Amino acid sequence: MFGSNGIDQRVTDLYVRPSVRGVDAVNSMAGRTQIDPSTLMGAGVIHLIFDGQSTNNSSVQTNFTGSTTNIYNLSLAHKGRVFTALEPLLNTDIQQGHHGMYLARGLIDDGYASKVIITITAFGGSYCADHAPGGGIVGGAVSPGQVSGDLAYRIGLAARCIQNAGLSGLKTIIDWQQGEWDSDGTTTTQAAYTLALNGVIAEYKRVGLLKAGNVMFVNKCTRLSNSTASRDIIRAAQAAVVDGNLVRAGADIDTLNDPTDRYAADFTHFTATGAAKQAGLKKPLMENFILNG
């Protein structure tokens, strides 16, 4: 059960750990319906893993109001137990809505998925190097310098929880969206960001989540209020890791710059309008992968 890409994953447990970036706040099962994961092994089931920072987490201004039928949530905080989707999604440090609900609904309604499972490995207010094994050197205005990479374990934790649920055979799409903190202030260098993101990619491969039949989309994402030069460094680093095979170019999230798309307070996090547009940018890329591989 715990074999993954030749690595015995039993050497590590199934528990979420505290991080220097904070703790996951949404772990309550109140009002949630647990389901038998064996019912999710049919044809057409797609597993979406959202990684990165807050704009790929539950930070949408309002909750999704459409149908949640056939949308599910696998929780790392509950050792891979699966629930019918209810916002805020489980194992998230932010207690709002998630654009993945719009994306899942669209994939199902367009006929590209029969059911969609959402798993969150993203963590708000994080640098790319926080997610990379061993960490790295970061810039930014919040806490520049060496970071430990203490969020990197979540990649292996996701693999173990998915295996624990018996769902490792599903077609999996990893969606990476992060860059706001790295483009802040003094800015993480292009080389440092590329190195960290390649570390993230390598870890997804090592634990068996990124392999033939699965894919990782790297979205271009920075903080729009930052200088163009600071943002271009990070955008170039995000583009540099794409190989066109297992790692593909995702959506350009920075194009969502209409005043209705983002919170007026910070022009970073998304309104419901922006969330729908965010999902709309990603959906054709994912549908093309599902259809054509």
Side-chain angles (χ1 to χ4, degrees):
M1 175 184 291
F2 288 93
S4 175
N5 202 28
I7 305 294
D8 184 351
Q9 296 294 308
R10 288 173 293 185
V11 298
T12 310
D13 59 37
L14 292 169
Y15 293 97
V16 172
R17 297 161 174 75
S19 165
V20 295
R21 300 298 171 205
V23 296
D24 291 298
V26 183
N27 290 324
S28 171
M29 289 184 285
R32 302 179 192 272
T33 302
Q34 185 176 348
I35 69 160
D36 180 353
S38 68
T39 63
L40 299 177
M41 287 304 293
V45 181
I46 301 297
H47 195 161
L48 300 181
I49 299 176
F50 292 93
D51 203 351
Q53 61 182 116
S54 59
T55 57
N56 228 20
N57 209 331
S58 294
S59 61
V60 177
Q61 196 171 40
T62 53
N63 286 353
F64 177 68
T65 57
S67 168
T68 61
T69 300
N70 291 330
I71 305 176
Y72 304 91
N73 183 198
L74 184 148
S75 175
L76 304 188
H78 299 92
K79 302 181 181 180
R81 294 165 72 182
V82 181
F83 303 84
T84 54
L86 176 68
E87 291 177 303
L89 298 173
L90 290 162
N91 202 64
T92 175
D93 59 302
I94 306 170
Q95 301 186 50
Q96 296 178 298
H98 198 289
H99 75 279
M101 299 293 288
Y102 298 81
L103 183 52
R105 183 77 268 144
L107 293 175
I108 294 169
D109 289 349
D110 286 358
Y112 287 85
S114 58
K115 299 175 182 177
V116 173
I117 305 168
I118 295 174
T119 296
I120 308 295
T121 53
F123 205 98
S126 58
Y127 291 100
C128 183
D130 285 320
H131 299 265
I137 301 294
V138 302
V142 180
S143 53
Q146 178 73 38
V147 298
S148 66
D150 73 344
L151 295 174
Y153 83 94
R154 293 162 74 91
I155 299 172
L157 176 62
R160 294 189 298 277
C161 286
I162 291 166
Q163 290 171 331
N164 200 39
L167 297 174
S168 57
L170 294 177
K171 184 178 289 293
T172 298
I173 298 174
I174 302 161
D175 186 82
W176 173 265
Q177 182 171 307
Q178 187 278 340
E180 293 88 354
W181 266 26
D182 285 287
S183 64
D184 285 344
T186 56
T187 314
T188 303
T189 67
Q190 181 176 336
Y193 191 100
T194 301
L195 181 64
L197 188 47
N198 274 326
V200 171
I201 292 166
E203 184 68 357
Y204 271 110
K205 290 178 178 177
R206 186 189 74 81
V207 302
L209 288 175
L210 185 54
K211 60 185 179 181
N214 295 345
V215 73
M216 181 175 184
F217 285 104
V218 176
N219 303 295
K220 288 185 177 178
C221 175
T222 58
R223 198 184 308 277
L224 298 183
S225 59
N226 290 335
S227 71
T228 300
S230 296
R231 294 175 52 236
D232 283 350
I233 288 170
I234 303 305
R235 288 168 57 84
Q238 291 161 347
V241 302
V242 172
D243 64 16
N245 182 22
L246 291 181
V247 183
R248 303 186 187 183
D252 191 340
I253 303 303
D254 290 350
T255 61
L256 299 176
N257 56 13
D258 188 275
T260 64
D261 295 340
R262 313 256 185 167
Y263 283 105
D266 63 8
F267 207 59
T268 297
H269 299 97
F270 288 96
T271 62
T273 299
K277 291 182 181 179
Q278 191 177 4
L281 290 179
K282 295 179 178 183
K283 185 164 67 73
L285 301 175
M286 294 187 180
E287 290 181 343
N288 179 65
F289 165 72
I290 294 168
L291 182 63
N292 299 308

